[in-house]
Each structure stands twice: as structure tokens, then as C-alpha cells.
């Protein structure tokens, strides 16, 4: 057993180390030469700006670091989506911070940049958090303008959200530290207060070259839209400072003066240390997501000691539900059990699969948490709902629909962690991205797909072979094996945590031992929004 524990620990630590290596590369932004140019202009990088702005003694959770990874290679890539962003503290207040990375294509907006910025605004709106924009962008990346400009979830939605957040009373502060061009010029002006750095910050609908082309006027950046112009003539900006540091100090001062807002009132008491060290997750979680393990042991590394009360413990055993406290916060936990377990009839049930009884239990527990206004934590390691004649005759679709209904209509905050597998409708029932979790994270071991890689590849192979045979082509056993390998390799790439994070299906890939701390910070954020709707499920089959 100790050999297995050591192998698990080694494998999980290596997996996180590989993620960290990729993150270190991503943090270079547009590269060392681009960073050097930024320094030569006496400008901080996006990460340095956030580091200076955020409170040093509090946790900063970066969101979307992998956004765009492996994408847009024909244009030289777009590290972190050209934007550094996350949730942290400024002047003692929890805030959302979004900073354009000027080292990446002059801070231009790719399609993933728009998606990431909209996600950050969504986090601010859902959790009623102030949002700070550190602006330094050349605007839309023109070669891809058709994929970022006109649609509902594109660039223009940013300014719609500015207006909506203002109406919601959410504080928005914009610091213009570089170019702020064309449609992007609306963002700082639609914020509550605008701060500019002299000599670097500029705001205009059309730059000097376009002005010359359009109306024949010759001008320069400073005259057209610099800090002096907008604080002394147009009145668009509110403050100007000679240095970025002074600009960021002003933001700290403004945020520190914000009044405390009403809270949701989620219950919290003094925290108790977990019964297992959070670092023990490395040895508990199985190498390669292959072997069964007891999810109760994972839960013990996250929750306060002796706080977990399991709901319907002896019923629907492939789904663990229960009340607990995490860093003092009251939570409801819904977690897949990966052990193969006998049910009450003595029948063996496969771990990581939702059966009729576990779906029924999950739906009821989720409804209970909504009734009691207790936030929900989902721990995913699921291969899907049980299939086969017996399950279909027992109404697995009906029972699964009840659980999906309860998840979809939940009004309490939901925070999702994908530990291992996240396949098919199991992803939905366990509050995947499509079901509006307040935050969603992946461990390095996560795999997200419509079904397991081997099953999917074999299904695709059968379809491909049948198609080729229908065209009169002869398929040898060797051909079949080559096709299967090709399909499995492609599928394996598309199911990884990195692939998911690059497309923002998850907010971040995290170090598993930090799960407890991240939950606590997320609940603190969620507690800032006092508005909780009435819980209704609508029509469902019973």
C-alpha cells in the first residue's frame, strides 16, 4: 500500500510541477525582449502592476492564466489571453483586477481576450465585487476582428457590462497606463473614476494616423488624448500622475475608502484544522485516474476536522453528499465516490458512476442546501451516468434529469473542482461550466470530455471503418490500429486540464493542496452579494 501511496505522490507532484513549468513560461508574456522594451519606456509589466497594487498579506487567485495557450500560433500566440487577471485584495477590500499585457501584441484583443475579460466582469457581477481595470491596449486584433467585434459575447459586451455594473452599484476604477484606443476608449469613461499616467496614457476613438487619413488633421498622441488633454480640457479623466506607482497608490486609496456592503450572511465560525494535512491529497489521489480510492479521504484534507455530516450515508453510495465546514464556512459537499461499492441489495456498483439512487440523493441534498442557503462545493471525478437496459428501465434519465434540474436552478453559490474524470452528462449533473458555478477549477489530473478516451476512439473507429468499407476500401487490422492510435492521441490532447483551461472551460488549474484555501477565498467573495433569489425547480418527473 505504501508503494502505491508513494507512486501517487510522485505522479501528482510531477503533474503539478509540469503545470507550474508551463505557468512560468506563460508569465513571461510576450517574451523577454518585449518585457525589456516595456522597461526601457519606464513602464511596469501587467504582473508587476498587480503585484504592486494587491495587498501583500492576502491571497491573490489568478484566473485564466492558461487562456489562449496553444492557440493562435499562426500569429505568434497569445499568452494568458493578453490579459493578467484575478481576485485579490486592495486596501483591505476583495476586488477583481484586470490588467492588459502590453508585451503581448501591444495588448491587442484576441477572441480569447474578450472571453476572459467577460468572465472577469461576470465574477465581479455575481459576487458584487469592485473591479479595477489597468488599461494598456492597442484595441481589437484586426486580423481576427470578425471573431471578436460584432457578436453578443464579443468586445462590445464589455461596455454593456460596464453600464450594467454601474446600475448595480459595483465600483469600477480604470487606470490608463498606455494606449486606450477606438471602442476600448469607452471602458475607462464608463467606469466610476479614471486615472491616467502622464506621458504614457492616452484615450481616443481614432489615433493620429487615422485622424490624418480621415480628416487630414496632423496631431500627436498627447495632444489628441493624453493625460493633460483629458484632465484639463475634455474633463474625461479625473486624476493624472507622473508615475505608475503614484497612479496605483491612488487606486489603493480610493478602494480603501469604500463603505462595507451588505453581505449574503453565509454562516461562518472559527475554523478548525483538517484531520488530514492538505498535502496528503498527493498520496491519496491515484496515479493516472485509474484506480479506485475513497473520496472521504480527499474530503478530510479539505474540511474542518469532525465537521462532515454525511447525508443518506448508506443510500446511493456512488455519490457522497454532506454538510461540513471549510475554514469555518458552512458548506454542502457533493462528491463522486470512486470505490466499487455494494448497494443495499448486495449488488456491486462501479465507482465514479451515478446510479438512480445516487442521482435521487444528489437532487434532494442540493435542494436542501438551497432551502438552508448553504453554498455548494462539487468535487468531480465521474465517468457518467450508469447505462444499460436495467438502468434505462429503472428511469436513469428521469433521475438524472432531477439532479440536473436541481443544479441548474440552484440559487446558492456553487464552486466546482474537477479532480479526475469529468465525462458526459456527469459533467453537467456535477455543475460543469455550463451550469454557472461561481468559480470552477481543475486539478492537473483533470480530464474533461463527452466520454472516456478509449470508448470515444473505439466509437469513432467503428464509424470511420464502416464509412471506408461503404466506399469499397479494404481495411486491414494494421490500418485499424493506426487509425485507433491517431484518434486516441488526438482525444487525449483534447481532454487535458491544460486544453480545458486554455479555452476557459475552467478558471484555473490549481495546486491540489490549495483547494481548501481557494474555497475559503471564493466563499468570502460570494458572501459580498446579498441578493439570493427564491429557489424554484419548475416541473420535474418524480
Amino acid at each position: 500500500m505504501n508503494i502505491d501511496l508513494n507512486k501517487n505522490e510522485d505522479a501528482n507532484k510531477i503533474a503539478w510541477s509540469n503545470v507550474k513549468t508551463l505557468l512560468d513560461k506563460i508569465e513571461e508574456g510576450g517574451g523577454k525582449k518585449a518585457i525589456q522594451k516595456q522597461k526601457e519606456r519606464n513602464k511596469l509589466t501587467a504582473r508587476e502592476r498587480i503585484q504592486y497594487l494587491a495587498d501583500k498579506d492576502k491571497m491573490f487567485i489568478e484566473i485564466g492564466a492558461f487562456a489562449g495557450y496553444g492557440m493562435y500560433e499562426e500569429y505568434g500566440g497569445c499568452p494568458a489571453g493578453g490579459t493578467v487577471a484575478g481576485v485579490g485584495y486592495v486596501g483591505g477590500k476583495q476586488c477583481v483586477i484586470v490588467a492588459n499585457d502590453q508585451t503581448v501584441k501591444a495588448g491587442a484583443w484576441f477572441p480569447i481576450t474578450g472571453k476572459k475579460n467577460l468572465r472577469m466582469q461576470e465574477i465581479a457581477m455575481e459576487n458584487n465585487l469592485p473591479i479595477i481595470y489597468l488599461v494598456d491596449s492597442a484595441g481589437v486584433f484586426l486580423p481576427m476582428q470578425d471573431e471578436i467585434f460584432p457578436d453578443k459575447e464579443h468586445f462590445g459586451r464589455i461596455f454593456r457590462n460596464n453600464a450594467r455594473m454601474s446600475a448595480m452599484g459595483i465600483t469600477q476604477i480604470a487606470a490608463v497606463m498606455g494606449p486606450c484606443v477606438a471602442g476600448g476608449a469607452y471602458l475607462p469613461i464608463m467606469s466610476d473614476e479614471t486615472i491616467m499616467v502622464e506621458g504614457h496614457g492616452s484615450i481616443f476613438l481614432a489615433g493620429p494616423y487615422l485622424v490624418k487619413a480621415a480628416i487630414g488633421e496632423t496631431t500627436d498622441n498627447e495632444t489628441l488624448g493624453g493625460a493633460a488633454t483629458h484632465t484639463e480640457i475634455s474633463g474625461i479623466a479625473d486624476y493624472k500622475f507622473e508615475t505608475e506607482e503614484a497612479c496605483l497608490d491612488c487606486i489603493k486609496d480610493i478602494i480603501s475608502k469604500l463603505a462595507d456592503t451588505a453581505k449574503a450572511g453565509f454562516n461562518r465560525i472559527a475554523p478548525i484544522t483538517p484531520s488530514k494535512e492538505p498535502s496528503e491529497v498527493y498520496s491519496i489521489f491515484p496515479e493516472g485516474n485509474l484506480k479506485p480510492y475513497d473520496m472521504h479521504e480527499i474530503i478530510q484534507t479539505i474540511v474542518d476536522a469532525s465537521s462532515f455530516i454525511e447525508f443518506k450515508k448508506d443510500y446511493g453510495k456512488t455519490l457522497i453528499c454532506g454538510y461540513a465546514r471549510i475554514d469555518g464556512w458552512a458548506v454542502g459537499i457533493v462528491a463522486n465516490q470512486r470505490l466499487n461499492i455494494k448497494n443495499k441489495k448486495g449488488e456491486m456498483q462501479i465507482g465514479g458512476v451515478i446510479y438512480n439512487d445516487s442521482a435521487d440523493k444528489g437532487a434532494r441534498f442540493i435542494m436542501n442546501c438551497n432551502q438552508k442557503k448553504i453554498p455548494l462545493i462539487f468535487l468531480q471525478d465521474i465517468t457518467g451516468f450508469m447505462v444499460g437496459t436495467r438502468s434505462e428501465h429503472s428511469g436513469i434519465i428521469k433521475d438524472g434529469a432531477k439532479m440536473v434540474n436541481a443544479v441548474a436552478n440552484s440559487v446558492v453559490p456553487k464552486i466546482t473542482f474537477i479532480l479526475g474524470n469529468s465525462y458526459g452528462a456527469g459533467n453537467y449533473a456535477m455543475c460543469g461550466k455550463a451550469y454557472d458555478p461561481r468559480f470552477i477549477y481543475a486539478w492537473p489530473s483533470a480530464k474533461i470530455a463527452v466520454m472516456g478516451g478509449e470508448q470515444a476512439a473505439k466509437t469513432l473507429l467503428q464509424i470511420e471503418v464502416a464509412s471506408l468499407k461503404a466506399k469499397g476500401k479494404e481495411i486491414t487490422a494494421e490500418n485499424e490500429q493506426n487509425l485507433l492510435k491517431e484518434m486516441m492521441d488526438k482525444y487525449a490532447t483534447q481532454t487535458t486540464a491544460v486544453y480545458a483551461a486554455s479555452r476557459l472551460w475552467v478558471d484555473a488549474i490549481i495546486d491540489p493542496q490549495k483547494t481548501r484555501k481557494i474555497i475559503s477565498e471564493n466563499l468570502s467573495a460570494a458572501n459580498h452579494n446579498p441578493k439570493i433569489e427564491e429557489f424554484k425547480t419548475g416541473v420535474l418527473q418524480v
Side-chain angles (χ1 to χ4, degrees):
M1 184 63 178
N2 286 335
I3 294 174
D4 285 341
L5 293 178
N6 290 337
K7 286 177 67 177
N8 290 345
E9 183 174 6
D10 290 345
N12 288 312
K13 285 186 174 180
I14 289 170
W16 171 244
S17 178
N18 291 338
V19 168
K20 191 67 177 66
T21 298
L22 292 178
L23 284 171
D24 290 342
K25 182 63 178 175
I26 288 168
E27 288 177 6
E28 292 180 4
K32 292 178 181 178
K33 287 184 178 179
I35 291 173
Q36 184 58 36
K37 286 183 179 179
Q38 190 90 333
K39 298 294 184 185
E40 289 169 1
R41 293 196 291 256
N42 200 30
K43 296 175 69 174
L44 300 173
T45 65
R47 292 183 182 280
E48 288 171 337
R49 288 166 180 166
I50 291 177
Q51 189 176 22
Y52 185 91
L53 179 65
D55 295 352
K56 305 296 183 292
D57 60 337
K58 298 289 181 67
M59 189 176 190
F60 178 78
I61 301 174
E62 184 169 354
I63 302 293
F66 275 98
Y69 181 81
M71 300 166 66
Y72 316 118
E73 296 298 332
E74 66 272 33
Y75 298 113
C78 184
T83 304
V84 182
V87 180
Y89 292 80
V90 176
K93 307 286 185 182
Q94 203 168 15
C95 302
V96 173
I97 306 172
V98 183
N100 299 123
D101 188 347
Q102 215 274 336
T103 70
V104 180
K105 291 287 186 296
W109 288 56
F110 284 71
I112 199 69
T113 316
K115 187 174 182 178
K116 180 172 176 178
N117 279 262
L118 288 170
R119 174 60 181 147
M120 300 314 298
Q121 289 186 319
E122 180 181 49
I123 288 171
M125 288 189 283
E126 286 185 334
N127 299 289
N128 196 35
L129 295 176
I131 184 166
I132 298 163
Y133 308 101
L134 306 181
V135 185
D136 194 351
S137 171
V140 166
F141 185 62
L142 290 178
M144 302 190 75
Q145 64 84 26
D146 61 320
E147 297 180 48
I148 182 59
F149 171 67
D151 210 346
K152 180 179 178 180
E153 301 300 331
H154 284 178
F155 188 70
R157 187 80 171 180
I158 302 288
F159 317 126
R160 177 264 187 194
N161 287 348
N162 288 144
R164 292 291 302 129
M165 281 191 281
S166 184
M168 293 166 68
I170 294 173
T171 296
Q172 301 176 80
I173 306 294
V176 181
M177 303 172 136
C180 187
V181 185
Y186 288 105
L187 185 145
I189 312 313
M190 297 185 76
S191 298
D192 299 344
E193 295 183 76
T194 303
I195 307 164
M196 297 185 71
V197 179
E198 295 181 78
H200 290 148
S202 57
I203 306 171
F204 35 66
L205 291 178
Y209 292 120
L210 185 54
V211 168
K212 179 70 174 179
I215 63 173
E217 180 184 354
T218 302
T219 185
D220 58 68
N221 282 356
E222 284 299 307
T223 304
L224 185 63
T229 294
H230 287 313
T231 56
E232 299 172 21
I233 300 173
S234 73
I236 280 175
D238 306 300
Y239 316 92
K240 64 178 179 181
F241 294 96
E242 292 183 1
T243 67
E244 294 192 6
E245 289 84 354
C247 175
L248 295 169
D249 286 337
C250 180
I251 296 174
K252 292 180 187 180
D253 188 60
I254 292 170
I255 295 293
S256 70
K257 291 183 170 68
L258 295 180
D260 290 335
T261 57
K263 299 291 190 289
F266 301 126
N267 186 266
R268 191 183 193 188
I269 61 173
I272 299 173
T273 303
S275 59
K276 286 183 180 288
E277 284 290 330
S279 60
E280 289 187 54
V281 294
Y282 293 131
S283 58
I284 297 168
F285 194 82
E287 177 187 10
N289 301 10
L290 298 174
K291 295 181 179 179
Y293 64 95
D294 192 348
M295 181 64 82
H296 289 97
E297 293 188 42
I298 299 286
I299 291 171
Q300 287 170 28
T301 70
I302 298 171
V303 304
D304 295 8
S306 303
S307 70
F308 186 62
I309 302 173
E310 190 163 354
F311 177 79
K312 293 184 184 289
K313 181 179 179 180
D314 298 318
Y315 178 75
K317 291 184 177 182
T318 63
L319 191 72
I320 298 171
C321 299
Y323 303 106
R325 290 193 180 274
I326 297 176
D327 199 32
W329 293 100
V331 298
I333 293 176
V334 181
N336 302 117
Q337 175 59 290
R338 282 297 302 271
L339 290 178
N340 297 327
I341 297 172
K342 286 185 178 180
N343 64 16
K344 58 187 176 181
K345 298 177 183 178
E347 301 162 335
M348 185 61 72
Q349 293 188 321
I350 301 168
V353 178
I354 295 181
Y355 290 77
N356 298 74
D357 52 0
S358 35
D360 181 67
K361 177 171 83 170
R364 176 64 180 270
F365 180 72
I366 290 164
M367 294 168 73
N368 279 350
C369 287
N370 277 274
Q371 188 88 338
K372 296 175 174 66
K373 300 295 185 287
I374 297 174
L376 284 159
I377 310 299
F378 291 85
L379 303 177
Q380 286 197 17
D381 191 356
I382 180 168
T383 53
F385 285 87
M386 191 59 190
V387 297
T389 305
R390 182 169 183 173
S391 290
E392 297 292 359
H393 291 182
S394 299
I396 187 65
I397 298 174
K398 176 185 68 176
D399 291 324
K402 283 192 290 187
M403 186 172 174
V404 169
N405 189 313
V407 172
N409 285 299
S410 285
V411 295
V412 295
K414 299 169 290 189
I415 304 171
T416 300
F417 292 84
I418 302 173
L419 282 55
N421 302 320
S422 178
Y423 295 155
N427 172 281
Y428 304 154
M430 292 295 293
C431 197
K433 180 70 171 178
Y435 287 77
D436 296 325
R438 290 287 180 96
F439 299 92
I440 179 169
Y441 303 98
W443 284 10
S445 46
K447 294 183 183 298
I448 304 170
V450 71
M451 64 177 73
E454 187 175 353
Q455 299 95 314
K458 286 181 177 178
T459 302
L460 290 169
L461 178 65
Q462 290 177 46
I463 295 169
E464 180 67 15
V465 168
S467 175
L468 291 171
K469 286 182 177 178
K471 295 175 183 177
K473 295 184 180 180
E474 184 179 343
I475 306 298
T476 66
E478 185 180 354
N479 291 149
E480 281 197 27
Q481 283 302 310
N482 289 337
L483 280 170
L484 180 63
K485 183 180 184 305
E486 182 182 325
M487 291 172 179
M488 286 188 70
D489 289 347
K490 181 180 179 181
Y491 209 83
T493 299
Q494 293 178 346
T495 60
T496 64
V498 170
Y499 191 90
S502 69
R503 287 149 180 81
L504 292 175
W505 301 345
V506 296
D507 292 325
I509 305 173
I510 66 162
D511 183 348
Q513 67 177 334
K514 293 185 178 177
T515 302
R516 171 182 165 86
K517 288 183 179 179
I518 288 171
I519 291 173
S520 180
E521 288 294 330
N522 288 171
L523 291 173
S524 178
N527 198 40
H528 282 81
N529 190 348
K531 297 176 183 176
I532 301 178
E533 299 174 10
E534 182 184 356
F535 177 61
K536 298 178 181 179
T537 59
V539 177
L540 49 82
Q541 291 190 29
V542 296

